[in-house]
Amino acid sequence: MILSRAGWWTVFACLAGLAWIFILHFRSWILSRGKKLPPGNMGWPLIGETFYFMKPHPSTSTGTFLQKNCKLYGKIFSSHVFGQPTIVSCDFDFNMYVLLNEDRLFQSSYPKSVNSILGEFSMLIAVGDAHKRMRSLALNMINTAKKSTGFLNDIEWHALYVFDHWNHQQDIVFSKEAKKFTFNLMVKQLVSLMPGSPQSSQILSDLLTFMDGLVAFPLNIPGTHYSKALKSRSRILSTLKGMIHQRRNGNDVLSGDFLDSLITNTNLSDEEILNLVMDLIFGGYETTSTLIALILKFLTECPKALQQIKSEHEAIKRAKGKDESLTFDDYRQMTFTQNVIDETLRLGNVVKFVHRKTIKDIKFKDYDIPAGWKVLPILSAVHLDSSNYDNPFEFNPWRWQEPTTGKRFIPFGGGARLCPGYEMGRIEAAVFIHHLLLKFRWRMREPDIPMSYPYLDFEKGLCISVERL
Ligand code: HEM
């Protein structure tokens, strides 16, 4: 077959395009010749190993991609994911080195889809002074809330609100109920919305779409998850914006919530306030509900732990008056519950990894890592490593009864970005579990697995049948 002149040009253009893609993909490796990069594999041009890395797997395992690469190359290896040359680390020391050197050697670096959905002022994305300022406001709010008894009462009220809607011998999609609880609680504390109000229901439905978009391919054409997520983000922002205007114009009574405190005590712009509120909803809602769902699953599968935690909560209840609310003293007595929470975070791995990039050339042990490379510290790999924990795949809350100093445990990240809500999440989970244990007996309707997509969700929603006690 003889090609026309136009045909030759088309073939030439295609070959040149392919060569360009090839050069772009391997440029970072070519440029780092002479340096000792961690060993690894760059995968396919353009997509690299992204699909292997993102392949869903049980969150109680590290998944085949990490298993295979750690075996071939060691706990620190090179790859190419999310369109960038990347160092993946399952090594505790390197992960801590990354987390503790934020802004000196490394910086937060989330993929484009996360950036545009969370917004440029989001704390997860902001770096340097902008990050520090937003973070200190968030810490302030969380610490003030945590110290007030009103906070514990709020948690109890919202847990009981969920349980009041459960009937005797009803089938429940538990992960959905746990999400309702943490969402209702969060929007009450932040902007004083009550459960079931039209605004709160609208924000919840938008938030669910918003979460889907975070791991979607960033293609903004109508109908894609990404485009729907961008739309739901704008709807949530416009609802919150309406609230700020009402309060600034005195059309709404100030209710002493977080939004009020940001409006009256700071000089943040509306845009910054909106993003901070969104960060706290986003950071605190799904993580804590996932923790609660995981606790229920692990306890159901371990009758000895279920019996022990139940006895602990019955004893706390016995020592109180009939309708007396929980206090921080009661919370401090939930010692076995804390062991269950730690073990659940370790084995269940609510957050699998965090996103960073190098801002300088790095030397770690024998390896050189060039500036501009993506770095993914895998938190779950540290928790499931048999050199860090005996029988790491076994649910054993009693392991936390031994002295915990030196435990290699990073479910909340670390360093300058250590989760500001880590204690809040634990308190919410403990109070919810307290009332669940005292009010219900349950059985699993079918086996279910927590999957890392990489955000964590139960395949079937964790369906249980409950019986009121
Ligand atoms: C079981 C519950 C939770 C888990 C496992 C968890 C986990 C994490 C992790 C791993 C990070 C670090 C992200 C990074 O380094 O890039 C983080 C950051 C964050 N979390 Fe949590 N979190 C939980 C609960 C909460 C709660 C209840 C709130 C809000 C009240 C919250 C708000 C945040 C915020 C705002 C950040 C960003 C911090 C920063 O960039 O400085 N989290 N969380």
Side-chain angles (χ1 to χ4, degrees), residues 243-258:
M243 289 181 183
I244 297 181
H245 281 294
Q246 294 259 337
R247 295 191 190 193
R248 283 212 198 276
N249 299 333
N251 295 336
D252 204 355
V253 187
L254 292 186
S255 31
D257 55 26
F258 182 53

Side-chain angles (χ1 to χ4, degrees), residues 409-443:
F409 188 53
I410 43 176
F412 297 105
R417 287 184 183 269
L418 173 73
C419 172
Y422 74 94
E423 213 184 333
M424 197 177 224
R426 298 179 75 107
I427 301 175
E428 289 175 19
V431 172
F432 189 89
I433 292 294
H434 172 81
H435 286 292
L436 177 71
L437 288 165
L438 296 181
K439 290 192 172 17
F440 296 95
R441 189 180 301 135
W442 67 87
R443 66 177 177 78

Side-chain angles (χ1 to χ4, degrees), residues 99 102 108-110 122-126 131-132 134-136 138-139 141-142 182 186 189-190 276 278-292 341 345 349-356 379 410-426 428-429:
L99 295 173
E102 178 77 18
S108 167
S109 168
Y110 280 80
S122 164
M123 205 191 309
L124 268 179
I125 287 155
H131 168 250
K132 286 197 190 94
M134 301 297 266
R135 184 178 165 85
S136 95
L139 277 171
M141 175 267 166
I142 292 173
T182 52
M186 201 49 95
Q189 287 172 345
L190 295 173
L276 195 46
M278 282 286 278
D279 275 344
L280 292 171
I281 300 180
F282 168 71
Y285 137 81
E286 195 152 288
T287 45
T288 311
S289 66
T290 303
L291 168 62
I292 294 172
I341 292 177
L345 288 164
N349 295 298
V350 176
V351 177
K352 176 177 167 180
F353 64 96
V354 295
H355 292 261
R356 296 292 186 270
L379 312 180
I410 43 176
F412 297 105
R417 287 184 183 269
L418 173 73
C419 172
Y422 74 94
E423 213 184 333
M424 197 177 224
R426 298 179 75 107
E428 289 175 19

Side-chain angles (χ1 to χ4, degrees), residues 173-448:
V173 182
F174 187 80
S175 66
K176 220 168 152 186
E177 297 294 304
K179 279 182 196 174
K180 262 190 225 163
F181 161 67
T182 52
F183 173 80
N184 288 339
L185 181 64
M186 201 49 95
V187 291
K188 161 70 178 47
Q189 287 172 345
L190 295 173
V191 294
S192 298
L193 285 182
M194 292 308 280
S197 69
Q199 276 177 318
S200 147
S201 309
Q202 180 62 54
I203 297 180
L204 179 56
S205 120
D206 282 331
L207 200 60
L208 293 172
T209 320
F210 171 91
M211 304 295 289
D212 281 345
L214 285 175
V215 285
F217 189 73
L219 188 63
N220 190 8
I221 52 172
T224 59
H225 282 305
Y226 181 68
S227 142
K228 285 185 193 160
L230 288 177
K231 284 201 188 98
S232 39
R233 174 175 188 267
S234 337
R235 265 195 308 268
I236 302 178
L237 288 184
S238 91
T239 309
L240 295 175
K241 222 180 251 174
M243 289 181 183
I244 297 181
H245 281 294
Q246 294 259 337
R247 295 191 190 193
R248 283 212 198 276
N249 299 333
N251 295 336
D252 204 355
V253 187
L254 292 186
S255 31
D257 55 26
F258 182 53
L259 186 61
D260 281 348
S261 130
L262 287 177
I263 292 174
T264 43
N265 303 333
T266 70
N267 53 5
L268 291 183
S269 67
D270 285 3
E271 192 67 19
E272 287 172 315
I273 293 181
L274 288 174
N275 275 283
L276 195 46
V277 172
M278 282 286 278
D279 275 344
L280 292 171
I281 300 180
F282 168 71
Y285 137 81
E286 195 152 288
T287 45
T288 311
S289 66
T290 303
L291 168 62
I292 294 172
L294 285 166
I295 294 175
L296 179 114
K297 176 188 161 65
F298 292 144
L299 284 178
T300 314
E301 290 169 357
C302 182
K304 191 175 156 212
L306 180 59
Q307 192 45 52
Q308 189 167 336
I309 195 172
K310 203 166 171 180
S311 306
E312 177 167 280
H313 287 273
E314 282 168 349
I316 292 170
K317 178 73 192 159
R318 265 198 306 277
K320 301 183 73 65
K322 189 169 171 290
D323 291 320
E324 235 180 292
S325 306
L326 283 173
T327 62
F328 281 109
D329 274 343
D330 299 324
Y331 175 69
R332 277 187 282 276
Q333 283 178 44
M334 300 179 186
T335 48
F336 185 63
T337 308
Q338 294 303 330
N339 298 155
V340 168
I341 292 177
D342 283 337
E343 183 65 350
T344 302
L345 288 164
R346 183 196 68 78
L347 180 59
N349 295 298
V350 176
V351 177
K352 176 177 167 180
F353 64 96
V354 295
H355 292 261
R356 296 292 186 270
K357 69 172 181 202
T358 48
I359 48 176
K360 288 186 184 149
D361 286 346
I362 309 282
K363 189 147 187 82
F364 183 80
K365 293 189 178 160
D366 264 358
Y367 294 133
D368 298 311
I369 305 170
W373 275 51
K374 195 168 180 65
V375 178
L376 299 176
I378 312 288
L379 312 180
S380 61
V382 171
H383 300 152
L384 300 173
D385 185 334
S386 58
S387 55
N388 297 333
Y389 293 92
D390 292 337
N391 299 323
F393 301 104
E394 180 187 276
F395 178 74
N396 174 9
W398 298 277
R399 71 169 89 231
W400 296 92
Q401 289 175 340
E402 288 149 29
T404 54
T405 39
K407 274 248 162 34
R408 301 186 152 201
F409 188 53
I410 43 176
F412 297 105
R417 287 184 183 269
L418 173 73
C419 172
Y422 74 94
E423 213 184 333
M424 197 177 224
R426 298 179 75 107
I427 301 175
E428 289 175 19
V431 172
F432 189 89
I433 292 294
H434 172 81
H435 286 292
L436 177 71
L437 288 165
L438 296 181
K439 290 192 172 17
F440 296 95
R441 189 180 301 135
W442 67 87
R443 66 177 177 78
M444 209 65 88
R445 284 184 49 218
E446 52 185 337
D448 204 349

